[in-house]
Every structure is written in structure tokens, then in C-alpha cells.
Amino acid sequence: MTLSSSTLLTSAAEGGHHSVPVVEAMSPDGVFSLLWLVIALPLAGAVVLLVGGRLTDRWGHWLGTATVTGSFVLSVVMFVQLLGRDDAERQIGQHLWDWFAVGDFQVGMDLLYDPLSALFLLLITGVSALIHLYSVGYMEHDPRRRRFFGYLNLFVAAMLMLVLAADYVGVFLGWEGVGLASYLLIGFWQHKPSAAAAAKKAFVINRVGDIGMSLAIMLMFVTFGTTAFAGVSAAAGDATESTMTAIGLLLLLGACGKSAQVPLQAWLLDAMEGPTPVSALIHAATMVTAGVYLVTRSNFVFENAPVAQTAVVVVACVTLLWGAVIGCAKDDIKKVLAGSTMSQIGYMMLAAGLGPAGYAFAIFHLVTHGFFKANMFLGAGSVMHGTGDDVNMRHYGALRKAMPVTFLTFAMGYLAIIGFPGFSGFWSKDKIIEAAVAENYLVGAAALLGAGVTAFYMTRLMLMTFFTKERWEPEVHPHESPKVMTVPLVVLAALSVLGGVLLLGDWVTTWLTPVVGEVEHHELPVPVIVLTGIVVVVVALGVGLAVLLVGRREVPREAPQDVSFVTRAARSDLYGDAINDGLVVRPGGVLVRGLVATDARGVDGVVEGGAGLVGALSSVLRRTQNGYVRTYALSVLGGAVILVLAMVAVTW
Amino acid sequence: MNDEFTGPAIEWARLWPLFAVFGTALVGVAVEAFAPRSARCLIQSSVAGVGLAVALVGTVLVALELPERAGGAARGDVTAGGAVVVDGPTVFLWGLLVVVTVGGLLLFAERRVDAGLPVFAGQASLPPGSTAGPGGPGEPSYEDWEHTEVYPLLVFALGGMMLFCASGDLLTMFVALEILSLPLYLLCGLARRRRLLSQEAAMKYFLLGAFSSGFFVYGMALVYGYAGTLNLAGVAVAVRAGGGQEVLLLVGAAMVMVALLFKVGAVPFHSWTPDVYQGAPTAVTAYMAAATKIAAFGAILRFLYVGLGDARWDWAPLLWVVAILTMLGGVVLAVGQTEIKRLLAYSSIAHTGFLLTGVLGLQASGDLAEGQISSLQAVLFYLATYGVATVGIFAVTTLVRDPGGEAGSVARWTGLGRTSPLVAGAFAVFLLSLAGIPLTAGFVGKWSVFASAAGAGAWPVVAVAITSSIIAVYFYVRHIVTMFFADPPEDAPVVVVPSPLTSVTIAVALIVTVALGVVPGPLLDLAGHAGQFVR
């Protein structure tokens, strides 16, 4: 790591072109020298829990919670320290060891702590600590609880590696680590075939994205000779635009896989087969936002690749509507939330695709979403806990009386996500829509429409779950969850409400400036307050529609089948699986069968023909080996004669 | 020419390991004459063991004291009036030979695999099936007798081999050839089981060996006719000077090569190999297959590099053809084999071809690129990897037994991996090494000889070598597949638990095979450190 403490921001006046910050970290001192410990703690927890086996059964869950809490405390201390520093000194790099060196390719185990990673550290460790605590209650009756905590710790360590690495290869290590943890946790109840299949599906689809990621890394090495953020960001401006576009598109492919963006979105809904805390932590708050992190972190790539940036925006718009539409038709409470997650990550990607105007808001929305979505997932878990693990909202109704704490906390999350004025989601989503409108009307319209649809399906969820008539089975007795589960809910609810304070005095944009560059100010066609008003009206329309269609009618216990085409499409995930099947799986099957046939007839034919030839030759030659010494002697003599003659002939 | 004969000066400081070996053999003969029968086995094996230990220590000591020559490119001395050359390659080969002989000795002394009986017949002349004692029925049977002469024979053979690869002139080389061959002919006929096969093998080996020795002597005479000397360095001087009856040289060299190629089993002089390998007691096969090849390649290298180094372009094309024939012949014939020892015999023929490929890598030291391995280094390394794996693999074959002796048929080994994973696993590792699969010694050996030959421009030979390797993988891996992926037969052969003698041999060979595959550096460096031949 370079140790210079020169200004991170080269002057913004470079020929009118806005500058892209260069990663240039300084050496760690004080508490920052403990940076590695943030990762090492949960990693050690995972090792102890997974290697320790049954010995750790009795206290393993508390150990798992403690390690993550320790990381959280450390993150807070470092964050406070970082706050006290100048802008120019807010990038701290820690070189742990030389990971590997092959010829010119050198990769160090380097960590980078800057304003962006600092926010992620707080979000990941904070939400993780709460979810670990919640899981102590949620998984109480599971005989494999210790293993669950081991996996969770592994996930946290990998996620922290992902956001702390100072090198794309290090990011990739974390990237694969969270993929592994996600796979293990989706399939945690592996006795259920659906869970095992979902885990496999998530793993396979993520591989597609990972290919993009790894190709991007290789291309970076070929182009720049390094994969460190510092080296790539310094040289990014010198590469040709087509190279940067290729790198950007490949990174986008990686981001699509991890963040469930169209066309690699199909795994996220199935991933809800995992235990609910997993859905809250991995498939809502943290891992699925890794794509947004990647795009934001690689701002020096995307700033030099406008085409790739446009691609990001297009993918994001499609996804945010896609997820929202799916959310409207699902009856499974977790799948509604999963569709919503897709849609909200679409918003983040949209912001990230807008360049410096949006990076900070992408991260801002990511953080607030982390709070309110984790809150709602845990709330859903609490509902399931109280209703005998039923996930069908048609079997709920009027739960607000039976589960007041869950209801109230869930309501906070609900208000946040629909963007009720004053709640955290309002601030973050509003900013993204503003930026989108300023960029392009079409994009702005999509974002606005998404906000309305979000309001509709979330209101539908609220009504079907907590209001309307009781529809649960007589033997089900809904009850409030234990303290260990409700306390995290309360904390997350508070954060959902108050998350907007990050925007006070434009703090979050200023904070992230050293990483993503100056926020550009685009002129809006209408005053900001008017636009905000429009957004609120659209949201109100969505809510009103839901109240009319769901709240005022009888909700049948069985989903009606004679529904419109749109509903059918949305129920089957907008045919995401069918598309994959038609475009990839079946052609892949044909290709494989073709290859097998070619292999069997062509390649095997040559090989077996060759083998047959050798075998035949062998049996012919074996006849010379008849056991008679006279034949052998003749062979020696013949050989000698030929040798002598040849030797003489060669010379003449 | 009528000068008074003056005995050559013997440099004891360089030659004493050789004398120690011959001395040990002579002591063995004396023991045979004077010690009582019951005590002979123990005394003989101990004497041989001590002798080998002394020889090994001596080789190391001599190696450490070799003076540098030619500015460090070579080290060593010409001793005994030019008859024996003790240089870097010599001591490397000596060390290798002694180590392999120790393995052979351990296998010779094994008696637990055959229900407490030694692996050798009670009496060499014993016809098949006879168990009656010398005095007729009622006497103690020959079953209880044993040929303790095998130990001095083994040591004599070692002495011959050590002299063979150190010979400075053709006459010494011939004498050494006979010293090493005669004990081996005898040992081949001493198998306790399958007597007829064993006696037949000994007979064939002797007849064909004698036949080929005749070529050697005749060739030697022709070379003398050309050069006026039998000394290899002298021949080299004559070759460089040129002129004279070159036909004499070429015909003579070809005939000498016939005998040497016979010893290593190159096609078309290979026909004895499968019959002898199969008939000889497996302990002898293990020893012979490894050690003879080491010694004979030492002699081939010395003859071609020292004596005919400047006539390289005359013999190289011929050797190309022989190498190609040998590799292809070996692997193609191996494909059809159903007998394990015959299979390994053909495999050893193929390895001869690979080694000849390495021999073709000869380049003037100035032509070698920086860091490129010389052909001598490559061949020496290959000999080490081949020798170790060969002793190991034949040792393993002694363990799988049917009521009548070793289970020789490949089919009998079906499913062995399920019933005896350790034995089958060891066998598989040796097979993989012989096939040249990475992470085993065989891979590095093959790679080094191929690289050296390709560096010298013998591309076509290397291409054939690679093709042959691919064919060879087929029959090696087929055997692994039958061992591990098929069910054992009802009447599966018994896998005996050997005494520590065989176990140690197998274990050491296994460790060395894997270690040389993972960290070949030290031994490659050692082979490189041996430097060039001293003239």
C-alpha cells in the first residue's frame, strides 16, 4: 500500500471534467491497526463452532453472537475515530501478508478502511449482531442450532472480507465466501427437498455471475497488471473505453448474480426456503447488496465506461419493476418480501448507475433498506413463529391484537419502505427518484411507478397479515414472540424510523465524497418539493388501491384461480424460471446431448479405434514372443545385422 | 610392445568401495564353505548387509573427496591405469546401485510371505515337484534347505555393476559385464515355486547373454583395429583425429552397442526380458530389473559420450530408431499382457526407450542453455526414479498369493483395492509413477529426459515418446481400475502380511517415489552436481 497522505481528490477543475477519486490509503495506526480483527473474530467463531462439534452445542450460539458483537463494537470505535479525521486521511490500508505472487501478478492480503467500508461495517456487524440475537430464540428448538451459528459467523466473516478487501481478488474471496455461506444456509433444512433444490439453484445462478466477476478481474490484470483498487483506480483513465466497458459489463454480470438483478434474479425467491433470520440477514440486508457495493466501489471503472453505466440503469429499472410486480401477487409473506428486496435493490442499482449523482444515495438507500427490510423479515419470522410456521398470508388476518410488538415494529418498517414522509425510506427513495428524473424522464417514470407499486403490495401484505378477519386454523394460537426476538425488532424498528438522519446536512453525501467523488447537481424540471409531492401522491394512490382491493373485500383462504393473465404471470415469478428453462436449460441440455453424442461417436471412436489398433498390433507382435530361444537369438542377430548395416549406411 | 609389464597404480582412496564389495562377496564364499548350514543364512545376510553399508558410506566419502576437473564441469579421477574412472556420474550410479541392492537384499531375506520358507529353491538342480531329501524318503526335505549362496551372488553382481559403469576401457567393461551377468543367470534359476519356468528363464538368459557377449568382444576387437587402443579416452582421440578405416569403428561400435542394448532390453534385443522377468524369483526380478538397467545405462552413456562423443552424428540416427522401436514395442506388447510380471517386463522395455530418448539429448556443454538440464543429469535422475519404483512394485507383487505361489494373472488382482486398500494403494502409486503421472517421481523423470532430448533437437523421438506414454497410461490405469472399481472374485488371492524386511522396502520406495515427485529439486541438483564424465 502506498503510504502517501496526499490529497485524495485531485482538483475538481480538470478541464471541466469531474474527477474520479483514486484509492490511496495510508498506513493504519491506533485502533485501525485492529482492522483485521473485525474479520478474524467471526472467522474464529465459525472455526470454533464448526470444528468444535458437539462440545460447543451448549454455548455455541452465545459465542457466535459474541464474536459478531465484538466486531460491531470495534466497527463503532473505528467509525468514531474516522469521523474525527480530515477528509484526506480517511482511507486506511492494512497490509496483512503477501497472499500470492505469480510472476508479475502480486496479490497482497490487504484491507482498506474508508468511509464506504466504514458504513458497510456498521451495517453488517450491527444488523448481524441483532439477527444473531434474534436467532438464539428463533432457532431454539432446532437440534442443529450450533451449526447454524457457525454458518452465520462464516457468512459475516466473508461479507466483511468482501467489503474490506483492497484488491479485487480479495473481494472475490469474500464474494465466494458469502456465496458458500448463502448456499449452506438456504439449504440449512436440507431434509426438505425444496430447500436443497433452492440452495442448488442459488449456487448455480451465482456461478454465472461469478464468471463475470472473475473474467473482469482477469481483464483488469491483463489491462493494468494489477487488481488492487489503488492500481486500477490510478490507471483506469488511461485504458481504452472499450476495455473499460467490457470490465464494467462483466462486473455488472457479477453484481446481477449476487444482487438478484434481472436476468439472474430467479434464485432469490426460492432462497426464502432458508430459515427466516437468514432471509433477513443475507437475502435482504447484506449479501444481496454486494452488487451495489461492487458497482459503487468500482466507480472508477464505471465513470470511464458510460455504456456499462447505461446498462446498469437499464437492468436496475427492469428489476425494480419486475420485483414489485411479483410482490403484488404472492401469498407467501416471505416471497412478497423477497420480491420487494429485488425491487429495492433495483433502486440502489439505479442510483449507482447514475454515477456520482447517485452513488451516495445508493449507499444511503442500502443502509436504510438494510434496517427496514431486516426489521420486516424478522417481523415475518415472528409472525411465522406465532402461527406454527405458516407462511401463507391467506391464513393470517387480524394478528395485530395477538402480536402487538411485532405489529408495531412491522408497521415502522412498512411505513419506511413505502416512503411515508419522515421515515427513513422516504428520504432515501425520494433522493433516488429525484436523481433519476434529473437524468432521464423514462427512468424517472419507472422509479416513480415502482414507488406506487411498492405501496400497493406492502399495504396488501399489511392488511392481509395484521388487519382483515381472522383466517387461521382453530388449532393455531397466535402469540407474541419471546423477548430475545422482540428486542432486535424494536431496535431495528427504531432504526427504520430514524435512518433518515444520515441525510441531515447532506452528511452521507459529504461523507462518501472521498470515495465516489463530488455529487453533481442536476437541475430538476420542477422544484424539489413538487416532485416530492408527486411521489407522495403516487404512494398514496398505491395504498388506496390496496385498501380498496384487499381491505374492503373478503380474503379467501384459498387463492382464487380464475385470475387475470397478469396475476398468473406474477404468481409464477413473471415466468423467470420458464425463461431460464427455455433460454438456458433446454438449449444447454440439447448442447450437452450433442456433445455427448459427438464424444461417444467421434472422440470415442478415434480413441477406441486407436486402442483397437494397438490391441491388434499387440496380439500380432506377441507371436514373435514364442518362447523359443532360437527365435530370440535370431531376433538379436537380425537386430545386430541391421544395426551394423545401418551404421555403415548412414556414414556412406 | 615387448616392454616389461608394469602393474597399474591402484588409487585405493578412490576405489575402496569397489574393493569392499568384492571383499564382502569373497567373505560370503568363505562363509558358505566353513559355516554350518543352520547358521549360514543369518551370517550371510549379515555379512552382505554390513558390506553394503560399508559400500554406501564409502561411496559417499569418495564422492565428497572427488577433485574438480575442467573448471568445475566435472569431478573425479582416472584410476588403475585408465581401467576404472571414478567421477561424478560413477559415484552417483554407485550410490544408486548400492541403495537398490539393499532393497534387493531385504527382499532376498524375506521368508514370511511364503509361510516361513525362503523365496529361493532348496537346491538349484531340483526338478519341479520334488520334495524328498538328499538321502531319499524319510530324510529332511529340501523344503527346509536353502541356497545361502544367493547373498554372495548378489554382492558379486553388485560389484560387477559398479565396475561396469566405471569402466575406462572396453576390456574392463567386458569383464565387468561378465561379472554382473553370471550371478544373475544363476539367481534367475532359483525360484522356489514354478521351478520349470525359472530354470527355463535362467537357461534362456544365459544363452542369449552369452550370444550378445560375443558381439561385445568382436565389436571391441574391431574398435581396437580402428583406434589402436581399448581405452575410451583413447578411442575418442582417434575419432577426433579422423582418418583410418572408419568402417571398423562403425561396425565395432554397432556390435558393442548390440551387447549393451541387449542388457537394457531394447527392441529388437528385448525378447529375453519378459520370459526372464516372469521366471526369475520376484525378488531377483526386482533387483535385476532395477540394477542392471542402472549399470548398463551407465556403461552406454560412458561408451557413447566418452568414446564416441565426437561421432555423435553417426550413431544418433540409429539410436533414434532403436529408441522409437523400443518405446512403441514395449507399450504395444504390454497392452496385450495378462501376466503382471510380464506386463512389468514390457513396461521396463518401454522405459528403456524413454531412457534412450534421454541419451539422445547429448549436446556439447556450450550448446546448453542457461538452466537447461543436461542429458546426463536427466538420465541419472530417471534411473533413480525408475529403479526405486521398480523395486517397490515388484516387492508388492510378492504379497498377493494363490496357493501355488504368487497370483501372477492380472485378473486375479480384481477388486484388490476393496479388500486390501494399502497394498493396492501402494501398487497404484508405483503404477502411476511408472506411467509418469504428475506428483510422482516418474513424471519428473520423464519430463527431464523429454526436455533434454527436445533441447537437442530430437523432436520426432519425443513425439513418439509422448504417444507411447499415452498408450502406456492405458494399461497402467486399466490395472488400477480393475483393482479399485470391480468386485473381488469369490476365491480371491490371499494378501500376506510380510515381515518388516519387505514392508520397509515398499514403504521407503513409496516415500521416495512420492517425495521425488513433489520435491525433485535436491536429487536433480545432485545429479547435476555429478557433472560430466572424466576422460
Side-chain angles (χ1 to χ4, degrees):
Chain A
M1 287 272 93
T2 37
L3 305 181
S4 106
S5 58
S6 63
T7 13
L8 299 158
L9 264 178
T10 33
S11 144
E14 263 176 26
H17 190 271
H18 70 266
S19 66
V20 181
V22 171
V23 177
E24 241 181 335
M26 39 191 307
S27 63
D29 49 2
V31 68
F32 295 116
S33 54
L34 291 178
L35 189 53
W36 60 275
L37 203 58
V38 178
I39 302 175
L41 274 176
L43 187 64
V47 170
V48 169
L49 290 181
L50 293 178
V51 176
R54 300 226 171 85
L55 291 176
T56 58
D57 266 353
R58 287 197 320 132
W59 41 269
H61 47 287
W62 290 118
L63 175 76
T65 313
T67 55
V68 175
T69 312
S71 285
F72 175 61
V73 171
L74 210 54
S75 304
V76 171
V77 173
M78 286 194 298
F79 179 70
V80 172
Q81 290 276 325
L82 200 66
L83 273 178
R85 289 194 171 204
D86 287 342
D87 260 9
E89 293 176 353
R90 280 190 186 154
Q91 296 198 37
I92 292 116
Q94 185 172 33
H95 176 73
L96 298 180
W97 68 82
D98 289 326
W99 189 5
F100 55 80
V102 185
D104 297 336
F105 187 29
Q106 297 192 329
V107 176
M109 192 50 101
D110 293 326
L111 303 182
L112 172 67
Y113 186 72
D114 67 357
L116 181 60
S117 351
L119 277 185
F120 267 94
L121 242 54
L122 286 180
L123 175 73
I124 294 165
T125 56
V127 173
S128 291
L130 289 172
I131 288 174
H132 273 75
L133 186 64
Y134 175 93
S135 304
V136 171
Y138 190 85
M139 300 296 284
E140 192 172 4
H141 304 297
D142 196 303
R144 293 156 75 228
R145 176 166 71 170
R146 179 220 10 117
R147 188 191 297 248
F148 179 79
F149 275 85
Y151 291 161
L152 273 190
N153 265 222
L154 177 67
F155 166 76
V156 174
M159 190 70 204
L160 291 169
M161 181 70 215
L162 198 166
V163 298
L164 278 178
D167 187 298
Y168 278 100
V169 178
V171 173
F172 194 66
L173 177 68
W175 194 266
E176 293 300 303
V178 294
L180 170 68
S182 160
Y183 168 78
L184 292 171
L185 286 165
I186 294 172
F188 186 73
W189 287 321
Q190 63 221 46
H191 52 86
K192 290 200 299 189
S194 58
K200 198 164 69 182
K201 186 173 178 183
F203 202 76
V204 170
I205 294 184
N206 267 290
R207 288 283 80 63
V208 178
D210 294 348
I211 288 171
M213 174 95 175
S214 47
L215 285 179
I217 294 174
M218 292 173 209
L219 196 52
M220 277 183 220
F221 169 64
V222 171
T223 313
F224 306 114
T226 175
T227 54
F229 293 154
V232 176
S233 65
D238 306 333
T240 61
E241 192 178 316
S242 53
T243 309
M244 296 313 288
T245 304
I247 295 177
L249 289 176
L250 288 168
L251 285 177
L252 174 63
L253 182 62
C256 281
K258 203 56 89 196
S259 291
Q261 300 292 291
V262 175
L264 299 179
Q265 84 292 357
W267 64 273
L268 185 61
L269 289 162
D270 292 22
M272 297 302 130
E273 288 292 339
T276 305
V278 172
S279 306
L281 176 61
I282 302 184
H283 305 117
T286 55
M287 184 190 83
V288 289
T289 60
V292 181
Y293 170 79
L294 185 69
V295 173
T296 309
R297 173 60 85 195
S298 312
N299 61 77
F300 41 80
V301 172
F302 285 95
E303 287 309 302
N304 290 297
V307 177
Q309 260 182 334
T310 310
V312 173
V313 171
V314 170
V315 163
C317 284
V318 172
T319 309
L320 82 84
L321 291 174
W322 190 291
V325 170
I326 290 175
C328 294
K330 290 287 178 184
D331 291 330
D332 179 331
I333 185 168
K334 286 178 71 180
K335 294 211 166 168
V336 175
L337 290 174
S340 150
T341 303
M342 260 171 74
S343 169
Q344 297 300 314
I345 298 169
Y347 273 107
M348 300 169 208
M349 286 296 247
L350 171 59
L354 295 176
Y359 288 131
F361 301 131
I363 300 303
F364 180 35
H365 192 55
L366 193 157
V367 172
T368 58
H369 173 260
F371 296 147
F372 62 65
K373 190 52 70 61
N375 173 19
M376 284 193 286
F377 260 115
L378 295 186
S382 175
V383 168
M384 288 159 58
H385 197 74
T387 57
D389 280 332
D390 197 340
V391 292
N392 192 338
M393 296 192 296
R394 292 184 185 278
H395 301 171
Y396 296 161
L399 286 175
R400 66 181 184 282
K401 291 168 209 147
M403 314 175 82
V405 181
T406 305
F407 165 62
L408 280 174
T409 54
F410 201 99
M412 300 300 123
Y414 161 72
L415 292 172
I417 193 175
I418 66 169
F420 193 83
F423 285 78
S424 63
F426 168 75
W427 304 109
S428 55
K429 199 189 287 182
D430 199 44
K431 281 291 176 192
I432 295 178
I433 296 175
E434 264 176 41
V437 169
E439 177 82 15
N440 180 312
Y441 289 134
L442 201 60
V443 174
L448 197 57
L449 180 61
V453 182
T454 304
F456 172 79
Y457 68 74
M458 284 313 299
T459 311
R460 175 174 174 268
L461 184 153
M462 263 325 255
L463 292 173
M464 286 175 83
T465 306
F466 293 106
F467 296 91
T468 60
K469 288 209 183 105
E470 300 173 3
R471 294 183 300 275
W472 60 72
E473 298 278 352
E475 66 267 25
V476 172
H477 303 290
H479 55 86
E480 189 55 271
S481 299
K483 274 276 187 311
V484 72
M485 287 168 69
T486 51
V487 168
L489 282 177
V490 172
V491 176
L492 284 169
L495 289 168
S496 308
V497 178
L498 301 173
V501 296
L502 290 181
L503 197 64
L504 277 184
D506 280 340
W507 178 83
V508 71
T509 48
T510 321
W511 173 253
L512 287 174
T513 300
V515 184
V516 299
E518 290 283 357
V519 174
E520 293 167 83
H521 284 288
H522 287 286
E523 281 307 308
L524 280 173
V526 288
V528 173
I529 188 74
V530 175
L531 186 63
T532 307
I534 294 173
V535 173
V536 172
V537 168
V538 170
V539 167
L541 280 176
V543 173
L545 200 62
V547 170
L548 274 179
L549 293 181
V550 181
R552 292 290 161 85
R553 297 187 191 176
E554 191 75 11
V555 178
R557 260 186 69 86
E558 296 303 324
Q561 294 305 315
D562 52 338
V563 290
S564 69
F565 166 74
V566 181
T567 315
R568 275 204 301 277
R571 274 188 192 162
S572 48
D573 309 344
L574 293 181
Y575 303 118
D577 288 337
I579 293 170
N580 285 348
D581 212 42
L583 285 183
V584 181
V585 178
R586 272 193 226 134
V590 170
L591 180 67
V592 167
R593 274 191 294 281
L595 285 177
V596 167
T598 315
D599 183 59
R601 304 212 186 107
V603 180
D604 285 8
V606 172
V607 171
E608 279 165 12
L613 194 69
V614 170
L617 203 59
S618 180
S619 52
V620 171
L621 282 180
R622 272 178 74 182
R623 293 200 200 129
T624 63
Q625 206 69 32
N626 58 10
Y628 291 118
V629 113
R630 56 174 188 253
T631 318
Y632 296 177
L634 189 66
S635 147
V636 171
L637 181 65
V641 169
I642 293 170
L643 212 61
V644 167
L645 287 182
M647 192 88 157
V648 174
V650 163
T651 328
W652 270 327
Chain B
M1 283 290 163
N2 290 330
D3 295 343
E4 201 171 324
F5 178 79
T6 44
I10 305 289
E11 283 82 351
W12 292 98
R14 304 265 179 271
L15 292 174
W16 69 270
L18 197 56
F19 286 102
V21 169
F22 281 121
T24 307
L26 291 175
V27 171
V29 173
V31 168
E32 201 59 34
F34 297 112
R37 184 180 294 280
S38 57
R40 272 186 219 159
C41 177
L42 187 64
I43 299 177
Q44 285 286 27
S45 47
S46 315
V47 165
V50 171
L52 292 181
V54 170
L56 191 59
V57 172
T59 303
V60 173
L61 291 180
V62 169
L64 291 176
E65 285 173 7
L66 287 183
E68 289 203 350
R69 301 271 157 153
R75 58 196 71 241
D77 269 333
V78 177
T79 63
V84 181
V85 182
V86 183
D87 54 12
T90 301
V91 290
F92 186 92
L93 291 168
W94 280 5
L96 206 52
L97 283 169
V98 175
V99 168
V100 167
T101 310
V102 169
L105 176 67
L106 293 175
L107 296 180
F108 275 30
E110 173 68 52
R111 45 195 61 216
R112 202 177 291 171
V113 294
D114 200 358
L117 295 172
V119 296
F120 294 98
Q123 184 97 48
S125 58
L126 215 57
S130 56
T131 51
E139 288 286 305
S141 88
Y142 281 121
E143 286 278 311
D144 305 328
W145 285 33
E146 66 176 304
H147 261 302
T148 43
E149 290 91 342
V150 293
Y151 299 103
L153 286 174
L154 173 77
V155 181
F156 267 125
L158 171 66
M161 290 169 181
M162 288 169 73
L163 186 60
F164 197 39
C165 57
S167 325
D169 63 41
L170 289 172
L171 202 57
T172 314
M173 200 178 269
F174 178 71
V175 173
L177 176 64
E178 295 306 307
I179 299 177
L180 83 88
S181 298
L182 290 170
L184 290 180
Y185 301 151
L186 277 173
L187 287 170
C188 285
L190 291 179
R192 173 170 287 271
R193 307 280 172 185
R194 305 206 174 110
R195 292 287 305 135
L196 256 185
L197 210 57
S198 176
Q199 286 168 340
E200 185 187 324
M203 190 64 186
K204 282 179 183 168
Y205 194 18
F206 171 68
L207 284 176
L208 293 169
F211 188 45
S212 73
S213 294
F215 281 100
F216 193 99
V217 181
Y218 194 23
M220 191 166 87
L222 293 177
V223 170
Y224 184 84
Y226 171 78
T229 173
L230 287 173
N231 190 291
L232 289 175
V235 173
V237 171
V239 169
R240 201 169 306 140
Q245 290 289 324
E246 217 180 17
V247 178
L248 284 183
L249 172 73
L250 295 175
V251 174
M255 288 192 155
V256 170
M257 281 307 291
V258 167
L260 295 176
L261 291 173
F262 172 86
K263 271 291 150 199
V264 296
V267 175
F269 315 106
H270 66 286
S271 351
W272 61 275
T273 319
D275 293 10
V276 173
Y277 278 21
Q278 184 187 10
T282 307
V284 175
T285 311
Y287 171 64
M288 181 170 70
T292 314
K293 204 151 282 185
I294 294 169
F297 264 101
I300 288 179
L301 286 169
R302 200 175 285 280
F303 178 62
L304 290 180
Y305 284 18
V306 176
L308 301 177
D310 286 309
R312 179 156 94 245
W313 300 115
D314 293 329
W315 55 259
L318 215 59
L319 214 54
W320 276 38
V321 176
V322 173
I324 288 173
L325 282 180
T326 307
M327 288 184 285
L328 286 179
V331 295
V332 167
L333 278 162
V335 165
Q337 287 308 315
T338 53
E339 239 289 284
I340 285 187
K341 280 162 79 179
R342 287 183 82 84
L343 175 81
L344 293 175
Y346 284 113
S347 137
S348 97
I349 293 173
H351 282 281
T352 294
F354 297 137
L355 281 159
L356 287 174
T357 308
V359 173
L360 284 170
L362 175 62
Q363 293 186 77
S365 52
D367 295 345
L368 278 180
E370 184 74 25
Q372 193 182 351
I373 38 178
S374 73
S375 60
L376 188 58
Q377 182 186 3
V379 172
L380 291 180
F381 183 82
Y382 196 108
L383 284 171
T385 65
Y386 169 80
V388 169
T390 301
V391 170
I393 199 162
F394 277 110
V396 175
T397 58
T398 62
L399 302 183
V400 183
R401 303 186 78 88
D402 276 333
E406 286 159 20
S409 163
V410 169
R412 301 287 296 148
W413 287 54
T414 309
L416 196 73
R418 308 236 171 126
T419 50
S420 309
L422 268 182
V423 170
F427 198 75
V429 171
F430 290 129
L431 281 177
L432 291 176
S433 180
L434 290 176
I437 303 295
L439 290 185
T440 60
F443 170 73
V444 187
K446 265 194 181 154
W447 172 79
S448 55
V449 291
F450 292 177
S452 139
W459 274 108
V461 185
V462 174
V464 173
I466 290 171
T467 313
S468 310
S469 303
I470 293 169
I471 300 176
V473 167
Y474 164 68
F475 59 79
Y476 290 125
V477 172
R478 182 180 58 181
H479 198 66
I480 296 178
V481 170
T482 44
M483 281 198 301
F484 284 92
F485 301 106
D487 290 319
E490 288 284 311
D491 56 337
V494 183
V495 175
V496 292
V497 179
S499 70
L501 298 169
T502 301
S503 317
V504 166
T505 309
I506 296 174
V508 170
L510 199 63
I511 292 168
V512 171
T513 297
V514 175
L516 285 183
V518 181
V519 272
L523 190 70
L524 262 178
D525 289 345
L526 191 65
H529 183 73
Q532 301 298 315
F533 286 116
V534 168
R535 284 149 201 268

